[in-house]
Amino acid sequence: MANELLPLYRDASQPVELRVRDLLSRMTLTEKAAQMTQIERRVVSPAVLSGLPVGSVLSAGGSSPSERASPREWADMVDQMQRLALASRLGIPILYGIDAVHGHNSIYGATIFPHNIALGATRDGDLARRIGEVTALEVRATGIHWTFAPCVAVLRDPRWGRCYECYSEDTEIVRTMTSIVAGLQGSAPQDHPPGHPFLAGRNNVIACAKHFVGDGGTDKGKNEGNTICTFEQLDAIHMKPYLDCLAQGVSTIMASYSSWNGEPLHSNWYLITEILKGKLGFKGFVVSDWEGIDRLCQPHGSDYRYCILASINAGIDMIMVPFRYEKFLEDLIFLVESGRIPMSRIDDAVACILRVKFVAGLFEQPFSDRSLLDVVGCKEHRLLAREAVRKSLVLLKNGNDMKKPFLPLDKNARKILVAGSHADDIGFQCGGWTMTWHGGSGRITIGTTILEAIIEAVGNETEVTYEKFPTEATFSDQEYSYAIVAVGEDAYAEFLGDRTQLNIPFDGASIISLVARRVPTVVIVISGRPLTIELELLDKVEALVAAWLPGTEGGGVADVLFGNYNFEGLLPITWFKSLDQLPMNAGDDTYDPLFPLGYGLKMNLEKKN
Ligand code: GLC
């Protein structure tokens, strides 16, 4: 029974589709175009939001209301924007979006989980779901409704700068890890129709499966490059994880910057409309990537009307503009009024956006839940992250003689050396998408470094010497029982991480060689991908551990090194011998890796001292 006092779309007892239809019928073209517009936080002002009911606001990586803003400050900012949006003629709430891709990574003090490549090494879908649940709580604590995660790219070439954002090169492993969607959004009921958006409640966030489709398969791993394959290959390798996301009710999907056989995804009607919306029945909304439509012409954005025409008519519903929204609106309205974009396409796009907002309960509960503020970075969440670190570590070598394994380490050794560029660096442990878009080094947020964890773990009689960059002097008249050397990559994101060489940065190989010549050594590699390790270097070390990008909880590394837990991780990606083998994936006719997909050793803990 409709509530006579309320316009139907405001009546939460009404079916979503009736509310969508009612609200759509009340909207002007300008209001519809505004709903299809996503702008960045820095161009938002009271004038913009009250005068222009934009569909969404986002924070780019690290775009924070202030330096190290508190969760309360974030929630105040988002709620203030929401108040302005609700004051508009029809009072349509905004969706606020952010990249919370390994925890709420733009927030100082938030729990930072291992990046996806590490989680892929666990193959633990339930762990992914639990991480999604916790991430959703920390995101909602700051008033934010939507995360641009998970990235479900199937990684086929580690030279890609976004390797660490991928769970695996193996489609089935990626499919397993999509259960993070159920963690982020809440678990949809068994009878939930695949493709329809879902959100359980205020402790959950809208997820965004990205980047549709084939982003991990570009030629030579070039960021925003071209994936050359048949539709059958695209479907079998890259499309399948989206089926799992749709089955869980993923509410949004982001288009990929990349192309398929030369056709940009952002203007690909066949894949977005015919396949994703038609054949697969996706009823949430498709959002562009950041200035993704601008890339449809060269120089980027030069023929902006063409960019808008091609992307909207291809089936993209919301455009992450994110700055020049006036130009976007003016051109979009011109294209509709001139008949080049049919009003039916606009109505379809806005219906998808409104559907997600109604399903998310935004009209009923548009503001943040302040009771969540204290969960950001709380101990319980950090313990989950520490569990994820433990489960993600992959043991690649343990002793030069099977009968004399090197690990676990003796926590009561007399004197140990900890060395390397990555032994005491939270920023390097976290990698890209942490505090800023590309991340950084040093004390960028609250956490435990590997060095700190080792010092905490060893006995009171054990002396720990730390040398970031050891020299000959490090060893003069010193007798170390063993050495732990942590080396790896700097922090990077997207194209900044594209590589044609994958040697260990910061002179890592020399550090390993210098130390391993003098002291029995275990090497911890902190990286977003496999790195080049020469066989002769491998022979010099006693043990080798791939720790990926573990995040803030370095304690997980010490937990396993000293045998409190065993290794569980298995390589989610092929570890090449040399770059000229790439691309090289399990199942290829020629497959001669240093360590194959699925490789990982365990320790014999019975002998633990
Ligand atoms: C970036 C990325 C995408 C991210 C978006 C918003 O360029 O490609 O993964 O969600 O912009 O930050």
Side-chain angles (χ1 to χ4, degrees), residues 58-61 99 148 162 165 210-211 254 257 289-290 320 433 494:
L58 84 147
S59 274
D99 293 274
F148 307 126
R162 308 193 73 165
E165 296 184 65
K210 68 183 188 182
H211 311 78
M254 186 181 292
Y257 284 130
D289 204 333
W290 177 281
M320 190 182 291
W433 294 105
E494 301 188 56

Side-chain angles (χ1 to χ4, degrees), residues 38 58-62 97-101 147-149 151 160 162 165 208 210-211 215 223-224 254-257 287-292 295 320 433 437 494-495:
Q38 180 180 56
L58 84 147
S59 274
I98 198 168
D99 293 274
V101 295
T147 176
F148 307 126
C151 173
W160 188 30
R162 308 193 73 165
E165 296 184 65
C208 182
K210 68 183 188 182
H211 311 78
D215 50 343
N223 189 53
E224 304 186 19
M254 186 181 292
S256 177
Y257 284 130
V287 62
S288 79
D289 204 333
W290 177 281
E291 295 182 351
R295 287 155 164 78
M320 190 182 291
W433 294 105
W437 170 57
E494 301 188 56
F495 65 89

Side-chain angles (χ1 to χ4, degrees), residues 181-408:
V181 171
L184 290 167
Q185 298 193 155
S187 295
Q190 281 296 327
D191 61 352
H192 183 77
H196 285 252
F198 176 79
L199 194 81
R202 294 184 80 186
N203 288 352
N204 300 102
V205 290
I206 287 165
C208 182
K210 68 183 188 182
H211 311 78
F212 187 82
V213 63
D215 50 343
T218 59
D219 185 38
K220 298 185 181 58
K222 186 174 179 317
N223 189 53
E224 304 186 19
N226 187 26
T227 298
I228 303 163
C229 64
T230 64
F231 179 78
E232 290 65 30
Q233 289 165 326
L234 187 75
D235 185 47
I237 297 171
H238 302 284
M239 192 81 77
K240 291 284 183 295
Y242 287 91
L243 301 184
D244 303 288
C245 294
L246 293 174
Q248 297 173 79
V250 72
S251 298
T252 66
I253 288 177
M254 186 181 292
S256 177
Y257 284 130
S258 59
S259 299
W260 174 50
N261 296 334
E263 169 75 46
L265 261 296
H266 273 72
S267 59
N268 200 308
W269 180 87
Y270 175 69
L271 290 176
I272 293 177
T273 297
E274 179 80 5
I275 298 296
L276 178 61
K277 293 185 172 182
K279 182 182 168 202
L280 301 182
F282 179 52
K283 296 285 185 280
F285 69 83
V286 178
V287 62
S288 79
D289 204 333
W290 177 281
E291 295 182 351
I293 70 169
D294 300 51
R295 287 155 164 78
L296 293 176
C297 55
Q298 297 296 342
H300 286 174
S302 50
D303 182 351
Y304 202 43
R305 281 188 178 168
Y306 166 75
C307 297
I308 297 169
L309 178 73
S311 55
I312 299 294
N313 280 346
I316 293 186
D317 304 306
M318 181 182 281
I319 304 300
M320 190 182 291
V321 176
F323 296 121
R324 50 180 189 159
Y325 59 90
E326 299 100 329
K327 170 77 173 138
F328 171 72
L329 283 162
E330 178 193 337
D331 286 355
L332 175 57
I333 290 167
F334 168 81
L335 289 165
V336 177
E337 288 176 338
S338 59
R340 297 178 66 192
I341 297 180
M343 181 56 90
S344 57
R345 174 74 272 271
I346 299 298
D347 287 345
D348 170 60
V350 177
C352 293
I353 293 165
L354 296 179
R355 183 176 299 122
V356 171
K357 292 185 174 184
F358 282 123
V359 163
L362 272 183
F363 284 80
E364 286 69 49
Q365 295 175 315
F367 298 111
S368 63
D369 174 358
R370 299 300 168 112
S371 71
L372 292 175
L373 285 173
D374 293 342
V375 306
V376 179
C378 69
K379 183 165 178 49
E380 184 192 351
H381 293 178
R382 289 180 186 276
L383 287 174
L384 176 62
R386 185 165 178 163
E387 173 191 347
V389 173
R390 288 196 296 267
K391 292 180 173 179
S392 67
L393 303 178
V394 182
L395 181 57
L396 298 173
K397 178 181 180 182
N398 189 16
N400 285 306
D401 171 351
M402 291 295 281
K403 297 186 186 62
K404 285 167 46 187
F406 187 66
L407 299 178

